Amino acid sequence: MKFGKIFKKQMVPEWVEAYMDYNGMKRVLKEIRSYKHSKLTRAASRVSQQAEALHRSFSGLSFHPRHSEHAGDIEDQVIKVDTVQEDDSRKLYKTKFLKKSEEGGEFEELFFKKLDENLNKVNKFYRDKVEEVLEEAALLDKQMDALIALRVKMQKPDADNMNLEKHPSDKVVVDTSDNTMRTPGAANIDMVHGIERTNIPEEEASHIVADIVPVSHTDGDEEEASIGDKQDLREILERVKMNDVLESPISTLKGVFGDSNEPISKKGLKKAEEQLRLVFSEFYQKLRRLKEYSFMNLLAFSKIMKKYEKIASRNASRNYMKIVDNSLIGSSDEVNRLLERVEVTFVKHFSSGNRREGMKCLRPKVKRERHRVTFFSGFFSGCSIALVIAVVFKIESRKIMEKNYGTEYMANIIPLYRKLFYLFGFIILHMLMYSANIYFWRRYRVNYTFIFGFKQGTELGYREVFLVSTGLAVLAFVCFLLNLQLDMDWRMKDHKKLPEVIPLGLVTIVLFILFCPFNIIYRSSRFFFIRSLFHCICAPLYEVTLPDFFLGDHLTSQVQAIRSFELFICYYGLGGYLQRQNKCHSHGVYNAFYFVVAVIPYWLRFLQCIRRLCEEKESVHGYNALKYMLTIIAVIIRTAYELKKGRTWMILALVSSGVATGMNTFWDIVIDWGLLRRHSQNPYLRDKLLVPHKSVYFAAMVVNVVLRVAWMQLVLEFNLKSLHKIAVTSIISCLEIVRRGIWSFFRLENEHLNNVGKYRAFKSVPHPFHYYDDDDVDKDD
């Protein structure tokens, strides 16, 4: 594989703009090559090859740098790299091309100008990120001080009354490369300056310090040092508190109705350990990505300089790469040191000294593609198509619609089978759209795993999602065909009771697989879905994250599937078969829930918007909540018109739904997709686009508008003789799912581009502990 493809594949998607522009540099080299090729062609047409060789031998134009004895002197005459010092102590590199007077020298001068721009850009980004991780490391060090102190406090509640004497082996080991000494009141930067915290036994860590204690003491200072250690432990426990993260219903209710600050218990300490474990894991991934960023850019500079040597026949690589190696990205070692400290600290405090288990958590295995997934996906796809054909032939061979009970039979069996189709057919279609989305997200390098917060190595690819959807389709069609066969046989024998075991059994099997606690059929993904669904149902008691409101938006496109649960309850609760639909709608409770079920998905999204409005204080969430409230009103009126009919209800349904649809369409295109920017680089789109063809975005906007208003058929009820009303409802519901799938791709593309603009490649995990002195610093600022 060519380096360009490897380089692109290894990039952190959100940092793409911060990497060296390898393809751009190759384009400049192509211009140099084209010019030199055209120059040689013109020379060959004027003189013969012999005359040209003779001319070169006498004029000294023959240049073979790799075999020249004075290659070093010639190399020094090709380029000269100057260093410019900025006010903020940052270095900028500027290369002067010494062969500019030669024919075509302007192309090579442009090459080195672009190369300097890339080197300065990469160094600036790397410097900013290193400063960022150093600051974060200092904060994590304080978090570890608090955790260890609280562990000691829980193990030895009377630690404050103990005689705190330093053990001779308990000493702080400072990196000799740093002469910075710890002074009282200074910030705790153990991890930054390489202090080995693991040299201090935890069981004797009652003397853990938060402020700086000298490494050694004189005999006269031993008593003072011991008192200082006791005060340090006491100060940590007095200054630290648990952060109020309202991420569960109980913590949310306590935060709203009362004081959530409680004494730290063992349960709270365990929760803090788990949270700090996640913080360390995420911090470690950031360090690894930063190290890979440095390595890949150094390799890119080396590769591009080798290409330049080959094309321009100038030996300038060694001189320029010396500058690159001496720059920050080539000489800085802070990231490697931090990686070592994090590994040691994590193994010691979060994996009980078991390095293998600790490194397994810090470095999860990369997911491998398996051929059997592709095989079974194709196998289940073929089976699904065959079963669909079998169902059609079964209905035609029995001539159900031509019998005297055909229309009545289909009208009565549909309440169960139609809802069964809604429940599984729509879910299968939704999963197929999600599989297609994953394929295109990967193709256009949308980092959906980071956006959704999937754990590395557990995310599903498009093949796995397609396998699950086709497997579910096979299971559903087999049950449907079996139930249809049994039902036909029983109807022929004048049995009036429909076989009810198979549909109920199908639902039971699917629910069992979904909630199965065993590690089979992608357990981590199933539990992730269940957790997000539970957060949606319990809105606004949980903190709203992107997976939660993304799933909530998708639930609004599955109203018909959600309504099927209501019919299942009605069908199996009341018993009987004939005129089942009429019996259900004759019950007032059923009709009331018919309204409620249609509103629930929009109501959950409304509550999520209110929660985000209260937390983030951004007006956009208020407008989003208003959008969902208008949709709720429109759904209620449209459902009332569906049950009661009448011209008045129809007018109200058209007006309310028209207003809601207009606002939803505007929100989809302008807010969620970030399109229709008049003054952007791409008119009426946005500045950055991942799909190279602009027509795709315009087509998506048109399709979104058309499918948004497709439901008008349900209100106006145009006379479509060739289609049954149930078929029209099914088609419109399928179109809504397709529209939601299209919306999902561009929604995540816009989210990804926002992350790219802010170089946001890692999720922010809140720290479990908070120091009171941090509040004082904030007030002083």
Side-chain angles (χ1 to χ4, degrees):
M1 185 181 293
K2 292 184 178 181
F3 175 75
K5 293 183 179 179
I6 298 176
F7 186 54
K8 184 177 180 180
K9 187 177 180 180
Q10 294 296 325
M11 287 181 178
V12 179
E14 288 77 10
W15 294 354
V16 169
E17 295 182 354
Y19 281 82
M20 174 194 176
D21 187 8
Y22 187 76
N23 291 330
M25 298 305 301
K26 284 176 63 177
R27 286 192 292 270
V28 179
L29 288 178
K30 286 181 180 179
E31 293 179 0
I32 298 175
R33 176 188 293 172
S34 300
Y35 177 81
K36 288 186 174 291
H37 180 72
S38 61
K39 178 183 176 182
L40 290 176
T41 303
R42 291 194 304 269
S45 63
R46 290 194 303 266
V47 294
S48 63
Q49 294 182 355
Q50 293 82 3
E52 183 182 357
L54 183 63
H55 172 71
R56 288 186 176 182
S57 63
F58 282 100
S59 61
L61 293 178
S62 183
F63 181 67
H64 305 284
R66 298 189 181 183
H67 304 284
S68 175
E69 297 179 358
H70 305 284
D73 297 335
I74 297 175
E75 175 186 325
D76 294 338
Q77 296 175 3
V78 176
I79 59 174
K80 180 182 179 183
V81 183
D82 297 324
T83 303
V84 180
Q85 195 81 15
E86 287 190 334
D87 296 336
D88 54 355
S89 300
R90 297 185 177 186
K91 294 181 180 180
L92 293 180
Y93 299 96
K94 186 176 181 180
T95 302
K96 183 178 180 181
F97 182 62
L98 303 179
K99 301 292 184 178
K100 182 180 179 181
S101 59
E102 294 185 4
E103 188 175 357
E106 63 274 8
F107 293 102
E108 297 182 53
E109 183 184 30
L110 177 63
F111 171 80
F112 283 104
K113 180 180 179 182
K114 294 287 186 182
L115 200 62
D116 291 338
E117 291 176 357
N118 280 275
L119 179 59
N120 293 327
K121 176 185 70 174
V122 168
N123 273 316
K124 181 180 183 302
F125 178 82
Y126 188 74
R127 182 186 296 106
D128 294 340
K129 286 300 176 182
V130 168
E131 292 175 356
E132 180 181 320
V133 295
L134 290 177
E135 292 177 0
E136 189 171 351
L139 294 177
L140 286 180
D141 196 73
K142 295 181 68 176
Q143 295 290 312
M144 284 304 304
D145 279 344
L147 178 64
I148 296 175
L150 288 172
R151 281 178 175 178
V152 174
K153 183 66 176 179
M154 292 298 175
Q155 294 174 2
K156 301 179 180 179
D158 57 343
D160 290 341
N161 299 324
M162 295 174 60
N163 185 15
L164 302 177
E165 297 181 358
K166 275 183 175 288
H167 194 275
S169 63
D170 295 342
K171 60 181 180 179
V172 182
V173 181
V174 184
D175 192 349
T176 57
S177 62
D178 197 331
N179 296 325
T180 304
M181 296 300 296
R182 307 183 76 179
T183 57
N188 196 352
I189 51 177
D190 290 355
M191 193 178 298
V192 181
H193 292 296
I195 295 178
E196 291 283 2
R197 182 187 304 280
T198 54
N199 288 344
I200 304 176
E202 185 175 332
E203 61 272 14
E204 300 180 13
S206 57
H207 59 274
I208 295 294
V209 294
D211 293 327
I212 312 305
V213 178
V215 176
S216 59
H217 303 277
T218 61
D219 295 339
D221 295 336
E222 289 182 357
E223 182 179 356
E224 182 180 353
S226 178
I227 298 175
D229 293 337
K230 183 187 299 184
Q231 292 175 349
D232 288 328
L233 174 61
R234 191 179 297 114
E235 287 179 3
I236 290 177
L237 298 176
E238 290 177 354
R239 289 188 301 146
V240 73
K241 67 175 182 179
M242 294 287 292
N243 271 331
D244 300 331
V245 181
L246 307 181
E247 58 180 10
S248 65
I250 296 178
S251 60
T252 300
L253 293 175
K254 287 182 178 180
V256 173
F257 298 105
D259 186 10
S260 59
N261 293 329
E262 296 181 352
I264 300 177
S265 60
K266 290 186 177 181
K267 184 177 179 181
L269 180 60
K270 184 177 180 180
K271 183 179 179 181
E273 290 177 352
E274 291 297 326
Q275 192 170 353
L276 197 55
R277 181 189 181 99
L278 293 176
V279 173
F280 266 87
S281 179
E282 194 68 20
F283 182 62
Y284 187 79
Q285 298 305 321
K286 183 184 296 185
L287 293 175
R288 289 185 65 194
R289 294 297 184 219
L290 197 55
K291 182 178 179 180
E292 292 173 4
Y293 171 85
S294 172
F295 173 76
M296 293 306 299
N297 278 287
L298 289 173
L299 192 56
F301 278 106
S302 177
K303 291 286 185 181
I304 206 67
M305 287 305 301
K306 288 181 179 180
K307 287 182 177 292
Y308 170 77
E309 278 190 346
K310 183 178 180 180
I311 293 174
S313 298
R314 301 186 190 278
N315 196 10
S317 175
R318 187 176 64 183
N319 193 11
Y320 197 86
M321 286 308 300
K322 186 183 299 183
I323 299 299
V324 174
D325 292 337
N326 291 331
S327 66
L328 180 65
I329 195 172
S331 60
S332 177
D333 196 41
E334 285 87 348
V335 174
N336 289 329
R337 291 168 52 199
L338 283 176
L339 280 169
E340 295 175 0
R341 304 306 171 197
V342 171
E343 290 176 1
V344 172
T345 303
F346 191 89
V347 170
K348 168 66 179 179
H349 296 285
F350 298 104
S351 60
S352 302
N354 190 331
R355 181 171 179 81
R356 177 177 295 180
E357 292 297 325
M359 296 309 297
K360 187 183 296 185
C361 296
L362 291 176
R363 297 182 180 180
K365 293 182 179 180
V366 179
K367 191 174 182 180
R368 296 173 56 187
E369 298 288 347
R370 301 184 182 275
H371 295 293
R372 65 170 176 262
V373 173
T374 305
F375 170 77
F376 280 108
S377 297
F379 176 74
F380 288 148
S381 300
C383 291
S384 301
I385 297 173
L387 289 170
V388 171
I389 297 174
V391 170
V392 174
F393 274 104
K394 176 66 68 176
I395 295 176
E396 290 295 328
S397 63
R398 295 302 183 98
K399 298 181 180 180
I400 296 175
M401 298 304 297
E402 297 179 3
K403 296 183 179 294
N404 56 356
Y405 62 85
T407 304
E408 179 185 358
Y409 173 78
M410 293 302 294
N412 290 319
I413 197 175
I414 283 300
L416 180 64
Y417 285 175
R418 175 165 60 94
K419 296 302 181 180
L420 193 65
F421 172 75
Y422 283 158
L423 183 60
F424 291 100
F426 292 166
I427 291 176
I428 292 170
L429 178 60
H430 219 133
M431 294 176 67
L432 291 175
M433 292 299 300
Y434 179 60
S435 176
N437 280 331
I438 293 178
Y439 172 80
F440 287 107
W441 286 332
R442 286 190 173 183
R443 179 175 178 179
Y444 296 108
R445 296 184 58 78
V446 175
N447 195 359
Y448 71 97
T449 57
F450 164 67
I451 295 174
F452 286 134
F454 294 141
K455 186 179 179 181
Q456 185 178 357
T458 63
E459 71 280 2
L460 295 183
Y462 66 93
R463 292 185 179 89
E464 288 83 359
V465 178
F466 187 76
L467 172 64
V468 174
S469 58
T470 52
L472 182 59
V474 169
L475 180 62
F477 279 120
V478 167
C479 293
F480 184 84
L481 185 62
L482 182 60
N483 197 91
L484 183 64
Q485 178 64 39
L486 292 176
D487 186 68
M488 294 297 101
D489 294 340
W490 286 30
R491 287 289 296 176
M492 295 297 182
K493 298 176 182 179
D494 295 330
H495 286 272
K496 295 185 178 180
K497 186 177 181 181
L498 179 71
E500 300 175 352
V501 178
I502 295 179
L504 184 60
L506 176 61
V507 176
T508 304
I509 291 173
V510 173
L511 292 178
F512 174 78
I513 294 175
L514 180 62
F515 291 95
C516 179
F518 302 109
N519 191 14
I520 57 174
I521 314 179
Y522 309 117
R523 181 180 64 176
S524 59
S525 298
R526 289 188 285 109
F527 284 10
F528 184 90
F529 171 78
I530 293 172
R531 182 170 59 253
S532 297
L533 182 61
F534 185 73
H535 288 181
C536 289
I537 295 174
C538 296
L541 299 179
Y542 281 96
E543 181 183 8
V544 182
T545 59
L546 189 142
D548 300 337
F549 69 75
F550 191 83
L551 179 60
D553 283 324
H554 279 261
L555 290 178
T556 60
S557 297
Q558 287 285 3
V559 173
Q560 294 296 339
I562 297 174
R563 275 178 170 172
S564 63
F565 283 105
E566 184 184 10
L567 186 85
F568 273 108
I569 295 174
C570 175
Y571 187 91
Y572 291 101
L574 296 179
Y577 169 75
L578 297 176
Q579 298 180 351
R580 180 64 52 148
Q581 182 75 24
N582 293 334
K583 284 188 177 182
C584 286
H585 280 289
S586 64
H587 289 78
V589 176
Y590 179 87
N591 291 331
F593 275 98
Y594 197 74
F595 280 90
V596 173
V597 169
V599 168
I600 285 177
Y602 302 100
W603 177 251
L604 296 179
R605 284 294 291 122
F606 172 78
L607 294 178
Q608 287 178 339
C609 293
I610 294 300
R611 168 79 184 235
R612 297 187 70 185
L613 176 64
C614 296
E615 287 185 342
E616 301 176 19
K617 310 297 182 182
E618 295 181 3
S619 59
V620 65
H621 301 307
Y623 294 124
N624 201 13
L626 175 62
K627 179 194 72 173
Y628 285 107
M629 180 55 66
L630 293 176
T631 306
I632 290 173
I633 295 173
V635 169
I636 292 175
I637 296 176
R638 195 164 70 227
T639 305
Y641 167 72
E642 181 182 349
L643 296 177
K644 299 182 179 180
K645 301 297 181 181
R647 188 175 183 83
T648 303
W649 284 111
M650 185 183 73
I651 295 174
L652 291 175
L654 286 174
V655 173
S656 60
S657 299
V659 173
T661 300
M663 189 168 184
N664 279 289
T665 303
F666 171 82
W667 200 273
D668 287 345
I669 297 175
V670 178
I671 306 299
D672 290 340
W673 294 358
L675 301 177
L676 291 181
R677 309 297 185 193
R678 293 182 57 186
H679 303 291
S680 66
Q681 297 177 3
N682 304 293
Y684 296 100
L685 296 178
R686 63 170 105 86
D687 292 337
K688 299 177 183 178
L689 304 174
L690 295 182
V691 181
H693 305 289
K694 298 180 182 179
S695 58
V696 173
Y697 294 92
F698 291 105
M701 287 189 285
V702 173
V703 170
N704 186 78
V705 174
V706 172
L707 296 183
R708 272 287 186 185
V709 299
W711 58 264
M712 293 293 292
Q713 167 62 26
L714 300 179
V715 179
L716 299 177
E717 294 184 346
F718 293 112
N719 188 14
L720 301 176
K721 297 181 180 179
S722 59
L723 294 175
H724 193 275
K725 181 180 178 181
I726 296 174
V728 173
T729 303
S730 302
I731 292 173
I732 293 176
S733 299
C734 290
L735 291 176
E736 168 59 21
I737 294 174
V738 172
R739 186 201 67 81
R740 182 59 66 181
I742 297 173
W743 173 88
S744 300
F745 173 81
F746 294 103
R747 175 65 181 87
L748 244 67
E749 180 203 26
N750 189 39
E751 183 71 20
H752 172 76
L753 291 175
N754 290 335
N755 291 338
V756 170
K758 300 176 182 178
Y759 299 112
R760 187 170 53 208
F762 303 94
K763 61 182 179 181
S764 177
V765 182
H767 293 176
F769 301 110
H770 179 73
Y771 281 80
Y772 289 102
D773 56 350
D774 294 337
D775 294 335
D776 299 335
V777 173
D778 295 338
K779 291 179 181 179
D780 296 337
D781 294 340

